[in-house]
Amino acid sequence: AAAAAAAALAAGGVLPGGAEPLAAAHAAAAASLVNLVLAELLTNAHAFLVVATNHCGDDLYRFEQHAAPRSPSFYMRQVTSSVNFATGDGRGGHGHAADCVDFLHGWLNYQIEHHLWPDLSMLSYQKAAPLVRDLCAKHGVPYVQESVWLRLGKTISIIAGRTSMRRYPAAFNRPQDMVA
């Protein structure tokens, strides 16, 4: 069949099924363009859903000053300005459901741990999450972990101007940690 199609094209004929070469090329180009645009839209929507929603909401803080990297104020800010998505048992538990959600989010559903230790491996975030959550509970530090869809609603509310992110209280900053 391939040899017959090649012979027909070489003779200036018509492709099997009655399609002319130029029409087939235009159809292929149009299909490729549609696929490219749809892939770009879906990729951007997924990236927005995974990245923007765990950095935005009226329950998270924004900052007026910079804190020195790896200082106590820096680490406090990483926890209070990021959100993890609930996985597995709803608390970041392990298991097949959590692993599937982690994969779909590229392990960015552990945003708090990612901000604390950006050099950890992806699987280490999953292991660190319960430890960080318990440490935060022990010291009264908010550790926010919610559904990606709830976070999307909070993000849209910020974008639409219905709510704002919280201002970080200056009293929470250690003066020696602040960078001019």
Side-chain angles (χ1 to χ4, degrees):
L9 285 175
V14 177
L15 288 174
E20 294 193 28
L22 189 56
H26 284 289
S32 296
L33 181 61
V34 168
N35 282 328
L36 178 68
V37 169
L38 289 176
E40 191 68 25
L41 289 173
L42 289 173
T43 300
N44 285 330
H46 179 262
F48 175 81
L49 187 65
V50 170
V51 176
T53 58
N54 49 15
H55 293 92
C56 193
D58 59 357
D59 53 349
L60 297 180
Y61 290 99
R62 59 189 174 98
F63 310 102
E64 305 295 326
Q65 294 178 276
H66 296 284
R70 298 191 182 351
S71 67
S73 295
F74 171 84
Y75 287 114
M76 176 69 86
R77 289 169 171 220
Q78 301 316 303
V79 175
T80 60
S81 65
S82 304
V83 173
N84 286 359
F85 299 137
T87 61
D89 65 0
R91 299 187 63 208
H94 301 294
H96 296 301
D99 291 341
C100 181
V101 171
D102 292 348
F103 175 77
L104 292 173
H105 288 289
W107 280 266
L108 291 175
N109 49 325
Y110 296 103
Q111 203 60 215
I112 294 170
E113 291 72 24
H114 169 69
H115 281 227
L116 290 171
W117 305 292
D119 297 331
L120 280 183
S121 70
M122 294 181 286
L123 291 177
S124 295
Y125 295 143
Q126 189 183 63
K127 294 175 184 172
L131 302 172
V132 174
R133 183 181 56 243
D134 292 347
L135 185 63
C136 288
K138 178 180 175 182
H139 295 284
V141 175
Y143 182 95
V144 181
Q145 189 169 18
E146 296 177 323
S147 156
V148 64
W149 305 114
L150 180 63
R151 298 309 309 175
L152 178 61
K154 290 183 178 190
T155 302
I156 291 171
S157 183
I158 294 285
I159 292 170
R162 292 189 300 265
T163 59
S164 296
M165 294 180 69
R166 297 176 178 179
R167 289 185 188 273
Y168 195 72
F172 289 2
N173 293 320
R174 288 177 13 138
Q176 63 267 37
D177 295 345
M178 295 300 101
V179 176

